[in-house]
Amino acid sequence: QVQLVESGGGSVQPGGSLRLSCVVSGSPLDYHSVGWFHQAPGKQPEGVSCITMKDGIQYYRDPVRGRFTISRDNAKNTVYLEMKDLKPEDTGVYTCATRFEYGLCVRADFDFWGKGTQVTVKS
């Protein structure tokens, strides 16, 4: 059974930083990629950033490019999302997901999901 557990969310002021962690069960190289998804209040989850587990190839949505950094530590079965210069529009639930096969950084292409961690950005 594939399990993903997120941590690291919290409440920060605009311009602040957070680092999210996603621990994935089993051997990370069994998975093709891990993605982070952001669900703003009242909206559907959107892919923020994705990374391939074997080669570390990264993808970022334009609004977070240059502010967020995704990375992986296969020895720790963990994928991180470093978030800097946070803005109020970054508020929402951040969930990590994984899959076994190649796909795009979109919700429909991921098969296994964590429960999410809340990020709140406000003055």
Side-chain angles (χ1 to χ4, degrees), residues 8-26:
S11 183
V12 298
Q13 293 185 339
S17 300
L18 285 172
R19 187 176 81 155
L20 306 183
S21 299
C22 171
V23 179
V24 184
S25 64

PDB file of all heavy atoms in Angstrom, residues 8-26:
ATOM      1  N   GLY A   8       5.164  20.179   7.686  1.00  0.00           N
ATOM      2  CA  GLY A   8       5.877  21.431   7.466  1.00  0.00           C
ATOM      3  C   GLY A   8       5.008  22.641   7.210  1.00  0.00           C
ATOM      4  O   GLY A   8       5.514  23.755   7.079  1.00  0.00           O
ATOM      5  N   GLY A   9       3.699  22.446   7.131  1.00  0.00           N
ATOM      6  CA  GLY A   9       2.832  23.591   6.913  1.00  0.00           C
ATOM      7  C   GLY A   9       2.782  24.491   8.131  1.00  0.00           C
ATOM      8  O   GLY A   9       3.297  24.162   9.200  1.00  0.00           O
ATOM      9  N   GLY A  10       2.160  25.651   7.962  1.00  0.00           N
ATOM     10  CA  GLY A  10       2.039  26.592   9.065  1.00  0.00           C
ATOM     11  C   GLY A  10       1.523  27.923   8.596  1.00  0.00           C
ATOM     12  O   GLY A  10       1.065  28.060   7.455  1.00  0.00           O
ATOM     13  N   SER A  11       1.608  28.900   9.478  1.00  0.00           N
ATOM     14  CA  SER A  11       1.141  30.244   9.175  1.00  0.00           C
ATOM     15  C   SER A  11       2.329  31.196   9.172  1.00  0.00           C
ATOM     16  O   SER A  11       3.099  31.214  10.147  1.00  0.00           O
ATOM     17  CB  SER A  11       0.109  30.680  10.217  1.00  0.00           C
ATOM     18  OG  SER A  11      -0.406  31.958   9.903  1.00  0.00           O
ATOM     19  N   VAL A  12       2.474  31.952   8.094  1.00  0.00           N
ATOM     20  CA  VAL A  12       3.583  32.898   7.973  1.00  0.00           C
ATOM     21  C   VAL A  12       3.076  34.214   7.407  1.00  0.00           C
ATOM     22  O   VAL A  12       1.993  34.276   6.831  1.00  0.00           O
ATOM     23  CB  VAL A  12       4.710  32.353   7.065  1.00  0.00           C
ATOM     24  CG1 VAL A  12       5.315  31.091   7.650  1.00  0.00           C
ATOM     25  CG2 VAL A  12       4.200  32.108   5.656  1.00  0.00           C
ATOM     26  N   GLN A  13       3.887  35.239   7.561  1.00  0.00           N
ATOM     27  CA  GLN A  13       3.567  36.530   6.970  1.00  0.00           C
ATOM     28  C   GLN A  13       4.037  36.560   5.519  1.00  0.00           C
ATOM     29  O   GLN A  13       4.915  35.786   5.131  1.00  0.00           O
ATOM     30  CB  GLN A  13       4.248  37.645   7.768  1.00  0.00           C
ATOM     31  CG  GLN A  13       3.711  37.805   9.176  1.00  0.00           C
ATOM     32  CD  GLN A  13       4.329  38.998   9.889  1.00  0.00           C
ATOM     33  OE1 GLN A  13       5.395  39.475   9.516  1.00  0.00           O
ATOM     34  NE2 GLN A  13       3.642  39.477  10.917  1.00  0.00           N
ATOM     35  N   PRO A  14       3.454  37.445   4.726  1.00  0.00           N
ATOM     36  CA  PRO A  14       3.937  37.593   3.345  1.00  0.00           C
ATOM     37  C   PRO A  14       5.441  37.839   3.317  1.00  0.00           C
ATOM     38  O   PRO A  14       5.969  38.587   4.143  1.00  0.00           O
ATOM     39  CB  PRO A  14       3.161  38.804   2.838  1.00  0.00           C
ATOM     40  CG  PRO A  14       1.901  38.780   3.622  1.00  0.00           C
ATOM     41  CD  PRO A  14       2.294  38.306   4.988  1.00  0.00           C
ATOM     42  N   GLY A  15       6.112  37.173   2.394  1.00  0.00           N
ATOM     43  CA  GLY A  15       7.559  37.260   2.314  1.00  0.00           C
ATOM     44  C   GLY A  15       8.272  36.180   3.107  1.00  0.00           C
ATOM     45  O   GLY A  15       9.504  36.026   2.985  1.00  0.00           O
ATOM     46  N   GLY A  16       7.519  35.450   3.902  1.00  0.00           N
ATOM     47  CA  GLY A  16       8.106  34.402   4.723  1.00  0.00           C
ATOM     48  C   GLY A  16       8.415  33.140   3.943  1.00  0.00           C
ATOM     49  O   GLY A  16       8.161  33.054   2.728  1.00  0.00           O
ATOM     50  N   SER A  17       8.942  32.144   4.666  1.00  0.00           N
ATOM     51  CA  SER A  17       9.366  30.890   4.039  1.00  0.00           C
ATOM     52  C   SER A  17       8.860  29.694   4.829  1.00  0.00           C
ATOM     53  O   SER A  17       8.657  29.780   6.049  1.00  0.00           O
ATOM     54  CB  SER A  17      10.899  30.821   3.970  1.00  0.00           C
ATOM     55  OG  SER A  17      11.429  31.885   3.217  1.00  0.00           O
ATOM     56  N   LEU A  18       8.664  28.602   4.123  1.00  0.00           N
ATOM     57  CA  LEU A  18       8.333  27.322   4.742  1.00  0.00           C
ATOM     58  C   LEU A  18       8.978  26.222   3.923  1.00  0.00           C
ATOM     59  O   LEU A  18       9.199  26.379   2.715  1.00  0.00           O
ATOM     60  CB  LEU A  18       6.815  27.094   4.770  1.00  0.00           C
ATOM     61  CG  LEU A  18       5.977  27.863   5.781  1.00  0.00           C
ATOM     62  CD1 LEU A  18       4.496  27.635   5.496  1.00  0.00           C
ATOM     63  CD2 LEU A  18       6.311  27.466   7.197  1.00  0.00           C
ATOM     64  N   ARG A  19       9.250  25.101   4.573  1.00  0.00           N
ATOM     65  CA  ARG A  19       9.708  23.913   3.853  1.00  0.00           C
ATOM     66  C   ARG A  19       8.760  22.760   4.162  1.00  0.00           C
ATOM     67  O   ARG A  19       8.623  22.355   5.319  1.00  0.00           O
ATOM     68  CB  ARG A  19      11.138  23.527   4.225  1.00  0.00           C
ATOM     69  CG  ARG A  19      11.650  22.387   3.339  1.00  0.00           C
ATOM     70  CD  ARG A  19      13.093  22.033   3.594  1.00  0.00           C
ATOM     71  NE  ARG A  19      13.246  21.167   4.757  1.00  0.00           N
ATOM     72  CZ  ARG A  19      14.281  20.349   4.927  1.00  0.00           C
ATOM     73  NH1 ARG A  19      15.258  20.319   4.030  1.00  0.00           N
ATOM     74  NH2 ARG A  19      14.359  19.609   6.004  1.00  0.00           N
ATOM     75  N   LEU A  20       8.136  22.264   3.120  1.00  0.00           N
ATOM     76  CA  LEU A  20       7.244  21.119   3.254  1.00  0.00           C
ATOM     77  C   LEU A  20       8.006  19.834   2.973  1.00  0.00           C
ATOM     78  O   LEU A  20       8.917  19.812   2.142  1.00  0.00           O
ATOM     79  CB  LEU A  20       6.072  21.234   2.276  1.00  0.00           C
ATOM     80  CG  LEU A  20       5.266  22.527   2.329  1.00  0.00           C
ATOM     81  CD1 LEU A  20       4.103  22.442   1.337  1.00  0.00           C
ATOM     82  CD2 LEU A  20       4.779  22.832   3.714  1.00  0.00           C
ATOM     83  N   SER A  21       7.608  18.778   3.672  1.00  0.00           N
ATOM     84  CA  SER A  21       8.216  17.458   3.458  1.00  0.00           C
ATOM     85  C   SER A  21       7.138  16.441   3.116  1.00  0.00           C
ATOM     86  O   SER A  21       6.026  16.515   3.643  1.00  0.00           O
ATOM     87  CB  SER A  21       8.960  17.000   4.713  1.00  0.00           C
ATOM     88  OG  SER A  21       9.996  17.884   5.057  1.00  0.00           O
ATOM     89  N   CYS A  22       7.489  15.500   2.270  1.00  0.00           N
ATOM     90  CA  CYS A  22       6.577  14.419   1.889  1.00  0.00           C
ATOM     91  C   CYS A  22       7.351  13.120   1.985  1.00  0.00           C
ATOM     92  O   CYS A  22       8.290  12.895   1.206  1.00  0.00           O
ATOM     93  CB  CYS A  22       6.055  14.638   0.474  1.00  0.00           C
ATOM     94  SG  CYS A  22       5.108  13.243  -0.207  1.00  0.00           S
ATOM     95  N   VAL A  23       6.972  12.283   2.940  1.00  0.00           N
ATOM     96  CA  VAL A  23       7.614  10.975   3.093  1.00  0.00           C
ATOM     97  C   VAL A  23       6.781   9.947   2.344  1.00  0.00           C
ATOM     98  O   VAL A  23       5.570   9.831   2.568  1.00  0.00           O
ATOM     99  CB  VAL A  23       7.754  10.592   4.570  1.00  0.00           C
ATOM    100  CG1 VAL A  23       8.392   9.211   4.691  1.00  0.00           C
ATOM    101  CG2 VAL A  23       8.578  11.625   5.320  1.00  0.00           C
ATOM    102  N   VAL A  24       7.428   9.210   1.474  1.00  0.00           N
ATOM    103  CA  VAL A  24       6.744   8.227   0.627  1.00  0.00           C
ATOM    104  C   VAL A  24       7.120   6.828   1.085  1.00  0.00           C
ATOM    105  O   VAL A  24       8.294   6.545   1.327  1.00  0.00           O
ATOM    106  CB  VAL A  24       7.135   8.413  -0.849  1.00  0.00           C
ATOM    107  CG1 VAL A  24       6.340   7.464  -1.735  1.00  0.00           C
ATOM    108  CG2 VAL A  24       6.922   9.855  -1.276  1.00  0.00           C
ATOM    109  N   SER A  25       6.123   5.957   1.216  1.00  0.00           N
ATOM    110  CA  SER A  25       6.394   4.597   1.665  1.00  0.00           C
ATOM    111  C   SER A  25       7.086   3.792   0.579  1.00  0.00           C
ATOM    112  O   SER A  25       6.977   4.094  -0.604  1.00  0.00           O
ATOM    113  CB  SER A  25       5.088   3.906   2.062  1.00  0.00           C
ATOM    114  OG  SER A  25       4.237   3.770   0.939  1.00  0.00           O
ATOM    115  N   GLY A  26       7.807   2.766   1.008  1.00  0.00           N
ATOM    116  CA  GLY A  26       8.445   1.873   0.056  1.00  0.00           C
ATOM    117  C   GLY A  26       9.715   2.455  -0.534  1.00  0.00           C
ATOM    118  O   GLY A  26      10.303   3.380   0.020  1.00  0.00           O
TER     119      GLY A  26
END
